[in-house]
Amino acid sequence: MPGESDGKTELPSHAVILVPETRSSQQWHPRSRLVRFVRVVAAAALSLVFVQYLWVYWDVRSLPRGVTVPLRAQEYLDKCRLLDVKPGPPSDFNTRTQSDRFVLGTKVTLVKNATIWTGRLDGLEVLHADILLDKGLIKRIGHVKGAELEQYSEVTVLDAEGRWVSPGIIDLHSHLGVYNSPVLAGAFDVNSRKGPVLPWLRALDGLNTHDDAYRLSISGGVTTSLILPGSANAIGGQGVIIKLRPPTDRSPTGLLLESPYETNRSVYNPQAFFRYRQMKHACGENPDRVYSGTRMDTAWAFRQGYEKARQIKQAQDDFCAKAAKGEWAGLGEFPEELQWEALVDVLRGRVKVQTHCYETVDLDDLVRITNEFKFSIAAFHHAHETYLVPDTLKSAYGHPPAVALFATNARYKRESYRGSEFAPKILAENGLQVVLKSDHPVLNSRHLIYEAQQAHFYGLAHNLALASVTTTPAKVLGQDHRIGFVKEGYDADLILWDSHPLALGATPQQVWIDGIAQLEAPHLLSKPPPLQVRPKTPNFDKEAEEALKYDGLPPLEPKPSRSRTVVFTNVSAIYLREGRAIREFYAAHGEISAARAGEAVVQNGRIACIRTMRNSCRYAIDDDAEYIDLEGGAISPGLVTVGSSLGLEEIRSEASTSDGTVIDPLSHVVPEIVGGDGALIRASDGLQFGTRDALLAYRSGVTTAIVAPKSSGFLAGLNVAFSTAVRHKLEEGAVLQEASAIHVSIHPAGTPSVSTQIAALRHLLLDETKGQLKHAVDKVKNGEIPLVINIHSADAIASVIVLKAEAEAALGNKIKVTLIGATEAHLLAKEIGEADVGVVVSPTRPFPHFWEERRLLPGPPLSGRNAVSELLAHNVSVGVGVIEAWQARNTRFDVAWVSLEANGTLSKAEALALASSNVEQLLGVATDSMQSDLVATQGGDLLEFSKVVAVISPRRGIVDVI
């Protein structure tokens, strides 16, 4: 084959002349035996060199006269030989007796009585066994007897008591350590803007070991991550695979899955095997925006870069073919360029290409380019439209790429607008590999298992859902010989879960990386038996078919029932409003039978009768009544979302689809035509009904949204509460309440300072204002409407508490203050309770995106309580919210997670109140049971993996069938 060598043209890189040593004395010296042994070995080695020299000498003599062999010929031939080394592990890799990442002093660990999801047999193998960890490896899986442990001086034994163990989670797309948390200007190394094609850059060179997120991600079970450069460039540089445990040498290199140095007698020898590398590509909006180009420009940048690499590869192959034949005349030096060597290796199949690519047009571009230049793509990332064009992916060169997705994160820019929660299911049914990833910190990788849980909820098979964050990414990375499975000889990266990994809220009780336990004194939760088995999920086949039928934009509008009377049968529980609280009105405990199940009769959007074992509702049922079987489901109050711009935008990054941002009077001059210093903007004036995020929220049980004007400064304006189901503002029941609270924000932004923002708030509360602003502020001063402050820092919150007391003393009455966001509020839980300040925790699972959020309360297993539980324990009125519009649909799961972490201290009714009556009260929205929507779920209650099938709307007088 071209490039191979028979070894006869190799030249020694240097010559050695032996000089005999004279001995003046025969006297023995203390180290004489060692010296003689070294001399013998040296003589043998030099003899081999001499023989090689003779071979080369005779080979050179056989060359045609006039041919000059270059002095670096041996070096060139070595480089040629390396070109033929295939990527992947050595054949004897799994015969290793210890990991190259083994840390001396790590104790042997025995995990007994585990239920093990191994990842083997297409993710269908489950074992009930023990797992022995030693020297960084899984040494034994089975029933380990005491005799087998006698060889060890000390063994740490942990009884899993039948709980689930899985491989460590692998995040295929993360910016951990290069997009740092909290974000600081001095450590923001995710993107270079030096050109669209930069294959020579390496994420390793910007990897920060002090990122606050390492510890958080480990606590969620993430053991391995692919750290990629950002997506500003068509070719952004080389990624790096890391293990997340703190390295013993505290260096970025110490994090590497595969160290370039000799470790534990493991030596990387590229002449025997070649390690896969990873390369980041990106197409579509990001590189187009950064370089002010178009898709045509980006496609050309790809082709231009790959043509350069192709030319170098071809030159190398031609060079090596001649060198192998001894045709040195005119060859010159070996053709190579350091800047392009990684891209050349892409063409040689030794670099895995990870491509950020959303839309069909971009996917098709990249597939054509792979066929033009003959290279494969390991995975398309984000890839929101891949489920619409599986055959396009199958046309890629070499093999179809895997697809790395979000579960429900979509519609944040145009190229993600057609994203579907059914994409994982559809892609898997088309035989494509599915991966769920975080794009950390876009999503907090700590909760990557939650992405798999959602994918399973929406139809991805359970085995593939677990594989999507373990075995499948290991395969895509080319690392499935050592990670991604619970298998003897593999890295000892494991998670012990407190429930089935696909059960909502599943939390690690322990995480091992390289056999080292990562959680010190973890806070454990007691999960009920139903959560210890694989969760039952609804059937979404029809919805998935419609997603395809309508090219990713299926109709989402609800349809009213065909009859004024709707009878809900097989009801297991009913929760209703009672004043400002939620009460469990009916519950059928234990197994649900036809005789014991409840029944609810609804007429004109209102519950007319609830049948239990003690009464009948026949009198209320019309002949033409429509029946809906809830199959043991429940009826609960509709949820309320707050915190995002839901209803003010359709596509976040497209200005033409958004209400826009208000002018902040603290930083800009507000035009007199708006009201000047007395202006106050109303969110109701900019409402957009029928957005896809609003309709998806409605179909998930979120029937009301409260939104304030979009602001990037201090003063936002007056909020509005509206229905997420209606088509326009003039429909009956569209707007629940206008101007129910004033919203402001206090955040460190440089200019204006936090103290300036507090001063502005003091002016509003203690001094006179004018215009519409005065009218609304006076209501705050009189305690009629709340002042809602978006804030995170405990220090800023303390200043607000002091200011509230100062204002109340001056005004002579109480005022209503609600904090929203409030990541650090737990530090002042007692003081907040005493000050009678309400809190909307948003998001419910905190993350230190910014400095003001770094002192978060992480919740189990890192802390005994989460922020909601801590605040409730100090008698604070608490609600929950979201940050972005797409997250509103997942409010039900957010509340369920909070409830599970409360470890039995929250009833289901109290949990439902966190995202319904509590939020309305804290945001100044007045409602009652005669106006509030109810949600009917099939197969479970609203906080379980159930399906919303109907919404009962008293204020609109209808039942919407979902």
Side-chain angles (χ1 to χ4, degrees):
M1 293 176 62
E4 290 186 347
S5 173
D6 57 9
K8 293 183 180 180
T9 57
E10 297 177 1
L11 294 177
S13 58
H14 60 275
V16 178
I17 300 176
L18 298 179
V19 180
E21 179 182 306
T22 60
R23 296 175 60 185
S24 58
S25 170
Q26 298 296 320
Q27 183 178 357
W28 289 96
H29 297 286
R31 299 179 61 189
S32 59
R33 290 186 179 181
L34 178 61
V35 171
R36 287 202 302 167
F37 173 76
V38 170
R39 287 173 177 170
V40 169
V41 171
L46 292 172
S47 298
L48 289 174
V49 171
F50 182 69
V51 170
Q52 184 184 37
Y53 179 82
L54 289 176
W55 284 346
V56 173
Y57 173 77
W58 289 110
D59 198 49
V60 170
R61 285 190 60 187
S62 66
L63 293 175
R65 289 183 177 276
V67 174
T68 302
V69 178
L71 292 176
R72 299 175 62 192
Q74 182 64 59
E75 176 189 340
Y76 297 156
L77 290 169
D78 288 342
K79 288 184 177 181
C80 288
R81 188 179 297 107
L82 285 176
L83 299 182
D84 293 324
V85 178
K86 301 301 180 186
S91 57
D92 62 348
F93 183 84
N94 288 120
T95 64
R96 58 185 180 152
T97 58
Q98 69 176 16
S99 170
D100 50 338
R101 292 181 48 83
F102 170 61
V103 175
L104 192 64
T106 302
K107 294 180 181 179
V108 177
T109 299
L110 177 65
V111 182
K112 294 176 61 66
N113 304 321
T115 302
I116 308 166
W117 185 84
T118 68
R120 290 160 47 89
L121 304 182
D122 199 25
L124 297 173
E125 182 180 65
V126 174
L127 303 176
H128 300 278
D130 309 330
I131 309 172
L132 183 65
L133 312 179
D134 181 30
K135 291 186 170 53
L137 302 177
I138 299 172
K139 283 296 182 76
R140 175 97 157 79
I141 301 173
H143 297 291
V144 179
K145 299 179 181 179
E148 298 179 58
L149 304 177
E150 292 177 356
Q151 60 181 305
Y152 304 111
S153 60
E154 186 177 1
V155 178
T156 299
V157 180
L158 189 153
D159 190 345
E161 299 178 342
R163 289 188 295 272
W164 287 88
V165 169
S166 77
I169 290 173
I170 301 168
D171 192 353
L172 190 66
H173 188 135
S174 177
H175 303 296
L176 178 65
V178 293
Y179 192 138
N180 289 278
S181 303
V183 173
L184 295 170
F188 193 76
D189 294 296
V190 66
N191 278 309
S192 170
R193 297 173 185 256
K194 302 299 184 183
V197 176
L198 305 169
W200 46 85
L201 301 185
R202 302 180 301 185
L204 176 61
D205 296 328
L207 190 63
N208 176 18
T209 59
H210 302 300
D211 192 314
D212 284 1
Y214 286 107
R215 173 173 170 264
L216 296 173
S217 295
I218 289 171
S219 74
V222 180
T223 58
T224 304
S225 293
L226 171 59
I227 309 304
L228 292 167
S231 52
N233 311 297
I235 301 178
Q238 300 165 48
V240 59
I241 306 173
I242 66 168
K243 294 277 193 85
L244 270 61
R245 71 166 173 82
T248 54
D249 64 358
R250 303 183 183 181
S251 73
T253 301
L255 289 167
L256 295 179
L257 173 65
E258 298 178 312
S259 175
Y261 306 132
E262 178 179 348
T263 54
N264 294 331
R265 301 192 300 277
S266 295
V267 182
Y268 175 40
N269 178 13
Q271 294 182 343
F273 66 99
F274 207 88
R275 289 173 173 170
Y276 277 115
R277 288 184 288 174
Q278 313 290 326
M279 178 75 73
K280 176 68 178 293
H281 288 9
C283 55
E285 294 183 28
N286 284 18
D288 293 354
R289 180 184 67 256
V290 170
Y291 293 100
S292 302
T294 66
R295 283 176 165 80
M296 295 181 290
D297 295 304
T298 301
W300 171 244
F302 275 118
R303 296 181 67 216
Q304 192 175 37
Y306 271 106
E307 176 59 18
K308 175 69 173 179
R310 187 199 64 78
Q311 291 174 0
I312 295 173
K313 176 180 179 295
Q314 188 61 55
Q316 290 175 348
D317 292 345
D318 292 344
F319 179 97
C320 292
K322 291 183 178 180
K325 298 175 183 178
E327 299 174 0
W328 296 102
L331 269 186
E333 294 189 359
F334 181 81
E336 59 185 343
E337 293 184 42
L338 183 60
Q339 284 184 300
W340 297 99
E341 60 84 22
L343 205 60
V344 173
D345 261 2
V346 170
L347 300 181
R348 296 194 183 280
R350 305 201 293 198
V351 178
K352 299 276 189 176
V353 175
Q354 313 289 345
T355 304
H356 160 122
C357 208
Y358 287 79
E359 281 192 272
T360 299
V361 57
D362 301 313
L363 297 166
D364 190 60
D365 284 348
L366 263 292
V367 165
R368 282 187 282 104
I369 290 171
T370 69
N371 284 288
E372 179 181 0
F373 292 97
K374 304 292 186 294
F375 68 93
S376 295
I377 292 176
F380 279 124
H381 294 238
H382 306 313
H384 281 63
E385 292 189 13
T386 49
Y387 73 101
L388 298 173
V389 289
D391 289 340
T392 296
L393 272 63
K394 294 176 183 179
S395 300
Y397 181 80
H399 58 78
V403 185
L405 301 160
F406 296 128
T408 54
N409 184 5
R411 294 166 296 283
Y412 46 87
K413 54 183 175 178
R414 178 191 172 277
E415 59 190 6
S416 68
Y417 189 57
R418 294 172 190 265
S420 172
E421 62 270 38
F422 308 114
K425 165 186 166 68
I426 294 169
L427 289 163
E429 289 172 350
N430 279 274
L432 295 167
Q433 290 181 304
V434 174
V435 173
L436 276 302
K437 47 78 181 151
S438 73
D439 193 16
H440 181 97
V442 172
L443 297 183
N444 179 1
S445 64
R446 175 186 179 185
H447 304 302
L448 183 51
I449 191 65
Y450 178 44
E451 297 297 290
Q453 292 164 1
Q454 292 177 84
H456 180 47
F457 174 73
Y458 288 111
L460 182 64
H462 68 93
N463 57 316
L464 300 181
L466 272 176
S468 71
V469 292
T470 53
T471 61
T472 305
K475 293 174 183 177
V476 173
L477 290 170
Q479 297 294 336
D480 53 317
H481 58 285
R482 68 180 297 173
I483 58 175
F485 294 83
V486 180
K487 188 176 178 182
E488 290 180 2
Y490 275 57
D491 287 16
D493 299 346
L494 302 173
I495 309 166
L496 173 64
W497 298 94
D498 65 4
S499 53
H500 190 286
L502 292 179
L504 186 65
T507 300
Q509 293 194 330
Q510 189 52 268
V511 179
W512 290 270
I513 302 179
D514 303 319
I516 303 172
Q518 298 298 301
L519 303 179
E520 184 177 350
H523 297 269
L524 307 182
L525 297 174
S526 177
K527 297 290 181 66
L531 295 180
Q532 304 303 327
V533 297
R534 189 174 77 232
K536 294 179 180 179
T537 56
N539 186 306
F540 287 104
D541 289 347
K542 179 183 177 183
E543 290 84 350
E545 290 170 5
E546 288 191 341
L548 293 174
K549 177 181 177 181
Y550 292 95
D551 200 25
L553 297 176
L556 298 175
E557 294 78 8
K559 297 178 181 178
S561 61
R562 63 176 185 271
S563 172
R564 78 181 191 98
T565 301
V566 179
V567 181
F568 295 95
T569 63
N570 288 320
V571 181
S572 66
I574 297 176
Y575 299 89
L576 300 175
R577 287 177 183 256
E578 189 173 74
R580 293 182 174 181
I582 306 297
R583 182 170 71 89
E584 182 183 84
F585 185 85
Y586 162 77
H589 300 288
E591 287 292 324
I592 305 298
S593 63
R596 297 181 68 250
E599 187 175 273
V601 180
V602 177
Q603 292 181 338
N604 298 321
R606 298 182 186 277
I607 292 182
C609 180
I610 296 175
R611 182 187 70 80
T612 65
M613 293 177 65
R614 299 178 181 178
N615 69 315
S616 173
C617 286
R618 289 190 178 276
Y619 71 91
I621 301 176
D622 296 337
D623 292 338
D624 65 345
E626 182 174 348
Y627 286 79
I628 298 177
D629 185 355
L630 295 189
E631 301 175 7
I635 296 175
S636 313
L639 301 181
V640 181
T641 184
V642 68
S644 75
S645 295
L646 186 71
L648 295 178
E649 65 183 19
E650 176 75 337
I651 303 173
R652 189 178 70 214
S653 67
E654 294 288 346
S656 65
T657 74
S658 169
D659 176 52
T661 304
V662 301
I663 301 171
D664 180 32
L666 192 57
S667 305
H668 302 83
V669 176
V670 180
E672 282 299 323
I673 194 172
V674 182
D677 292 343
L680 190 63
I681 306 303
R682 295 178 176 234
S684 61
D685 294 333
L687 278 180
Q688 299 178 27
F689 288 87
T691 66
R692 297 193 72 79
D693 280 321
L695 291 170
L696 286 167
Y698 189 74
R699 297 169 74 90
S700 299
V702 180
T703 62
T704 301
I706 302 173
V707 65
K710 293 176 65 176
S711 172
S712 59
F714 169 71
L715 180 61
L718 293 165
N719 67 16
V720 62
F722 66 96
S723 168
T724 55
V726 301
R727 293 171 297 174
H728 56 78
K729 184 187 292 187
L730 302 182
E731 276 194 33
E732 185 177 358
V735 176
L736 280 68
Q737 187 172 328
E738 291 192 51
S740 61
I742 297 179
H743 287 245
V744 301
S745 295
I746 298 176
H747 297 291
T751 303
S753 66
V754 170
S755 51
T756 301
Q757 296 169 56
I758 297 290
L761 188 57
R762 179 178 288 108
H763 168 68
L764 291 179
L765 294 175
L766 298 181
D767 300 328
E768 286 299 315
T769 53
K770 63 182 182 179
Q772 292 293 319
L773 181 60
K774 171 180 170 55
H775 179 71
V777 169
D778 283 348
K779 287 187 175 182
V780 171
K781 292 179 179 180
N782 294 330
E784 297 174 36
I785 65 173
L787 174 67
V788 179
I789 306 173
N790 192 300
I791 192 169
H792 286 291
S793 165
D795 299 304
I797 291 172
S799 294
V800 166
I801 292 173
V802 171
L803 177 57
K804 180 176 184 287
E806 181 182 348
E808 290 174 340
L811 297 169
N813 60 267
K814 294 285 187 180
I815 62 173
K816 299 175 183 177
V817 174
T818 295
L819 311 177
I820 187 167
T823 298
E824 295 188 354
H826 65 95
L827 295 171
L828 297 168
K830 176 176 176 290
E831 291 78 7
I832 290 172
E834 291 172 348
D836 195 23
V837 172
V839 175
V840 175
V841 177
S842 176
T844 56
R845 295 181 295 282
F847 183 77
H849 286 287
F850 302 105
W851 189 259
E852 61 179 336
E853 301 169 294
R854 72 192 187 283
R855 295 178 293 182
L856 54 80
L857 188 64
L862 295 179
S863 63
R865 289 175 174 167
N866 58 28
V868 171
S869 296
E870 182 69 14
L871 291 165
L872 288 173
H874 288 84
N875 299 314
V876 178
S877 180
V878 180
V880 299
V882 298
I883 301 296
E884 298 180 31
W886 66 269
Q887 297 170 328
R889 69 181 302 177
N890 294 327
T891 299
R892 56 186 294 208
F893 297 146
D894 293 342
V895 172
W897 206 321
V898 167
S899 178
L900 288 166
E901 288 190 340
N903 213 17
T905 61
L906 268 182
S907 70
K908 192 148 289 187
E910 291 169 330
L912 288 166
L914 291 173
S916 56
S917 56
N918 286 17
V919 172
E920 290 174 341
Q921 180 182 348
L922 290 168
L923 274 294
V925 177
T927 188
D928 56 34
S929 59
M930 299 300 291
Q931 296 179 328
S932 301
D933 294 328
L934 295 170
V935 175
T937 52
Q938 192 175 68
D941 63 46
L942 191 56
L943 304 187
E944 297 173 336
F945 273 179
S946 60
K947 187 176 187 179
V948 174
V949 293
V951 175
I952 303 163
S953 181
R955 60 175 173 259
R956 293 189 292 133
I958 62 172
V959 173
D960 279 330
V961 179
I962 305 299

